[in-house]
Amino acid sequence: MTRHFLEITDLTVDELDRVLALAVTPPKPVLAGRGVALLFEKPSARTRHSSEMAVVNLGGHPISVAAGEVDLDHRETAEDVARTFANFHAAIGARVFDHDVLRRMAAAIDDQGFTVPVINLLSDVAHPCQALADVLTLRETFGPDLVGRTLTYVGDANNVAKSLAFAGVALGMEIRIASPEGYQFGGGDLAAIAEYAVDAGRGGSIVQSDDVEALSTGVDALYTDAWTSMGQEAEAAQRRIDLARYSVTEELLALAEGAVVLHCLPAHRGEEISDGVLESASAKVWRQVFHRRTAMVGLLSFLAEVGSIR
Ligand code: CP
Ligand code: NVA
């Protein structure tokens, strides 16, 4: 059966290790003569370019598709778009508003007997390709063994936070979510992250609280992302009020002396992160951007290795 990649939990921890290892191995031409469709319902700088270049690195041909070109579920169904792409491409990446669209695309491909993985390039609930780049950056900073390392995510417990939490706990990290009420993980998400940590067996854990100072004190890494994600623009004013204290500033960073600061970008200086912190030597954001491409090389190489890309 085709292995799709909609969330980090689609991998066992050993498979996650393998993806990360392949990310830092010279690419093999596993996509020679093949295409990869990359569909974007929302804007992208890093994801489009890293994915396209990873496909090129693996000998393939990327075709990026903007939302209006296929107009999912208006011009035709997401299922029909997926099955059309599956006739021409070795893999399909998609950035969508509604995570369920990815599930429908994957199911439609499976139903028709295609062996073409669907890769989540960001949905409302997950951003697993970003999380792969994040843990590659953490490994580059702290060494390959992340067991016992602490990372505090500051702000809205969103799609980026969730995929990061899954990857972090799998690799044995203590992930701390510092978010105000209303912006925290729900019980179901927390339980799923804790269960994945147990399955991985590396002692990873998740905690959550609104006490951003307490959770940030003495940690190895601080991470933040936009207060308002794509698709939530109507809530931006309220979010600025509710999340005002949840910002990675010089004062917060002083509580975690020596910590590295991560951000998936795009950044909103003066909101979730200060300009000074983002421009400081503590910030490893450009290594994260670098690893978006290596992460995609690792993921596509893994999918070829397990026979989901043929
Ligand atoms: N971090 C990230 O996914 O960036 P883009 O939205 O620019 O792709
Ligand atoms: N949480 C953000 C991430 C952007 C890369 C969003 O979904 O818009």
Side-chain angles (χ1 to χ4, degrees):
M1 209 176 87
T2 307
R3 299 287 304 275
H4 301 286
F5 184 64
L6 305 193
E7 178 54 295
I8 291 290
T9 49
D10 288 326
L11 304 172
T12 66
V13 68
D14 290 339
E15 290 172 341
L16 175 59
D17 278 339
R18 183 66 186 147
V19 170
L20 300 178
L22 287 166
V24 293
T25 304
K28 295 203 178 90
V30 296
L31 289 173
R34 309 300 312 282
V36 174
L38 303 165
L39 171 61
F40 289 89
E41 281 197 304
K42 310 179 190 180
S44 170
R46 283 145 289 271
T47 305
R48 176 177 172 186
H49 287 264
S50 60
S51 301
E52 287 201 8
M53 292 316 299
V55 172
V56 170
N57 293 160
L58 294 166
H61 180 80
I63 297 186
S64 287
V65 182
E69 291 176 63
V70 287
D71 203 9
L72 282 187
D73 288 330
H74 293 109
R75 185 167 185 267
E76 60 187 321
T77 65
E79 285 84 352
D80 289 356
V81 170
R83 290 179 290 199
T84 298
F85 286 175
N87 274 279
F88 304 114
H89 295 287
I92 299 170
R95 167 168 286 196
V96 297
F97 283 100
D98 178 0
H99 190 79
D100 199 47
V101 167
L102 296 173
R103 291 201 192 97
R104 288 170 48 209
M105 293 174 90
I109 285 173
D110 292 344
D111 286 350
Q112 284 294 312
F114 291 109
T115 302
V116 176
V118 173
I119 298 170
N120 182 1
L121 301 180
L122 183 148
S123 70
D124 53 338
V125 301
H127 196 4
C129 295
Q130 178 68 50
L132 295 175
D134 297 339
V135 293
L136 281 164
T137 306
L138 290 166
R139 282 183 157 193
E140 187 174 83
T141 305
F142 297 116
D145 184 3
L146 296 177
V147 171
R149 292 285 176 184
T150 48
L151 178 147
T152 297
Y153 178 92
V154 177
D156 179 25
N158 61 13
N159 47 2
V160 167
K162 185 148 58 151
S163 295
L164 172 68
F166 278 125
V169 300
L171 298 176
M173 298 183 71
E174 179 185 324
I175 302 295
R176 305 175 178 187
I177 305 295
S179 309
E181 214 173 297
Y183 295 88
Q184 300 183 342
F185 286 136
D189 284 339
L190 272 186
I193 294 163
E195 189 183 324
Y196 192 57
V198 170
D199 290 347
R202 297 196 185 164
S205 62
I206 177 106
V207 292
Q208 174 168 266
S209 146
D210 62 1
D211 191 341
V212 61
E213 286 83 15
L215 286 193
S216 301
T217 301
V219 287
D220 295 312
L222 292 171
Y223 196 118
T224 191
D225 179 23
W227 288 339
T228 301
S229 286
M230 293 180 278
Q232 300 172 330
E233 289 77 7
E235 302 168 16
Q238 188 61 48
R239 286 172 167 269
R240 273 193 204 102
I241 295 166
D242 296 343
L243 288 153
R245 286 184 48 246
Y246 294 81
S247 178
V248 178
T249 58
E250 285 79 350
E251 293 72 34
L252 195 75
L253 184 55
L255 298 175
E257 213 190 322
V260 297
V261 175
L262 304 181
H263 190 312
C264 61
L265 304 178
H268 309 83
R269 291 167 166 83
E271 294 196 4
E272 77 278 357
I273 192 163
S274 71
D275 181 60
V277 169
L278 192 61
E279 297 296 339
S280 75
S282 304
K284 302 294 174 201
V285 296
W286 301 113
R287 294 309 294 169
Q288 288 175 271
V289 172
F290 174 83
H291 280 300
R292 292 298 309 275
R293 182 186 56 79
T294 65
M296 188 56 82
V297 165
L299 178 66
L300 292 168
S301 302
F302 170 79
L303 291 170
E305 200 168 78
V306 296
S308 284
I309 286 178
R310 294 184 180 162

